[in-house]
Amino acid sequence: DTGVSQNPRHKITKRGQNVTFRCDPISEHNRLYWYRQTLGQGPEFLTYFQNEAQLEKSRLLSDRFSAERPKGSFSTLEIQRTEQGDSAMYLCASSSTAGFNQPQHFGDGTRLSIL
Amino acid sequence: GDSVTQMEGPVTLSEEAFLTINCTYTATGYPSLFWYVQYPGEGLQLLLKATKADDKGSNKGFEATYRKETTSFHLEKGSVQVSDSAVYFCALSVSLGGKLIFGQGTELSVKP
């Protein structure tokens, strides 16, 4: 079990730049989730995929955010025209749909810092 | 909307003390309930879960019972160790897709 892998671990960028994060889920998991966590808070749901279909998006996901999972394996989260308020830890999780309410396995996250 | 409220931290205990971290929830429908733990420098890990009323989840000496009448899922451990120092998150899931709604987290510090 290789776990959920996220890259990069840290990203520092200037305001207004675009950034892209990658998540590789556990190989047999067909659900993939993105969350955002700010300091001192719990993770907040952004969006999730079942296979390649994006099935739910939070209102937190503004037009500047886009996520893809083109082949139902890895996923990318892109933020365009970054703003100071985008500074956060971006977490990816995956789960299986076999059985009821399978637990989500989290990656170590990508920490985004906007200068 | 659905939400989770946890007791505020930080909680500081001496080794071998009894631990309770309170968690209450508001949800439409019948949620599944979870406790996740985040050790320093590490990612979130599932600690335990309960999927229906009166279920007790347990793992590594931690326990939590799903109480529908009080909408609570308090985390307990009889004797904490220094290695239990971490941030603990209570969470619920009500949707078919399984998205998690987290509380704000409670930091636990255990002193030798």
Side-chain angles (χ1 to χ4, degrees), chain A residues 67-109:
Chain A
E68 294 183 341
R69 195 182 183 198
K71 297 182 180 178
S73 57
F74 73 91
S75 174
T76 58
L77 177 68
E78 182 183 17
I79 309 174
Q80 296 182 327
R81 304 181 304 281
T82 52
E83 301 173 355
Q84 292 283 352
D86 297 332
S87 294
M89 178 75 86
Y90 290 84
L91 300 172
C92 177
S94 69
S95 73
S96 167
T97 51
F100 174 68
N101 234 324
Q102 291 297 306
Q104 295 180 25
H105 298 258
F106 283 80
D108 288 340

Side-chain angles (χ1 to χ4, degrees), chain A residues 39-88:
Chain A
L39 200 61
Q41 300 297 315
E44 296 174 293
F45 170 78
L46 293 178
T47 188
Y48 96 95
F49 294 83
Q50 182 155 321
N51 300 313
E52 65 276 9
Q54 188 174 17
L55 296 186
E56 187 174 352
K57 293 195 290 186
S58 163
R59 65 182 187 281
L60 294 175
L61 216 65
S62 76
D63 291 345
R64 297 185 297 106
F65 288 70
S66 62
E68 294 183 341
R69 195 182 183 198
K71 297 182 180 178
S73 57
F74 73 91
S75 174
T76 58
L77 177 68
E78 182 183 17
I79 309 174
Q80 296 182 327
R81 304 181 304 281
T82 52
E83 301 173 355
Q84 292 283 352
D86 297 332
S87 294

Side-chain angles (χ1 to χ4, degrees), chain B residues 6-106:
Chain B
Q6 292 181 233
M7 64 186 284
E8 288 197 16
V11 174
T12 303
L13 296 174
S14 298
E15 209 165 20
E16 299 183 3
F18 184 85
L19 168 70
T20 300
I21 300 179
N22 290 339
C23 171
T24 57
Y25 67 89
T26 302
T28 53
Y30 301 95
S32 293
L33 301 173
F34 306 84
W35 277 100
Y36 279 81
V37 58
Q38 191 168 35
Y39 297 104
E42 298 185 15
L44 280 165
Q45 301 174 26
L46 177 68
L47 181 59
L48 52 85
K49 71 173 186 178
T51 57
K52 62 182 188 297
D54 300 326
D55 267 2
K56 179 185 283 189
S58 61
N59 186 25
K60 299 181 180 181
F62 291 89
E63 293 182 338
T65 301
Y66 188 141
R67 301 285 188 200
K68 187 168 181 292
E69 64 276 12
T70 54
T71 61
S72 65
F73 193 55
H74 304 322
L75 183 68
E76 296 182 337
K77 187 175 185 183
S79 176
V80 293
Q81 304 300 311
V82 173
S83 57
D84 294 326
S85 297
V87 182
Y88 292 82
F89 293 93
C90 185
L92 66 81
S93 173
V94 289
S95 72
L96 195 62
K99 75 179 184 188
L100 292 168
I101 295 170
F102 286 87
Q104 76 272 30
T106 302

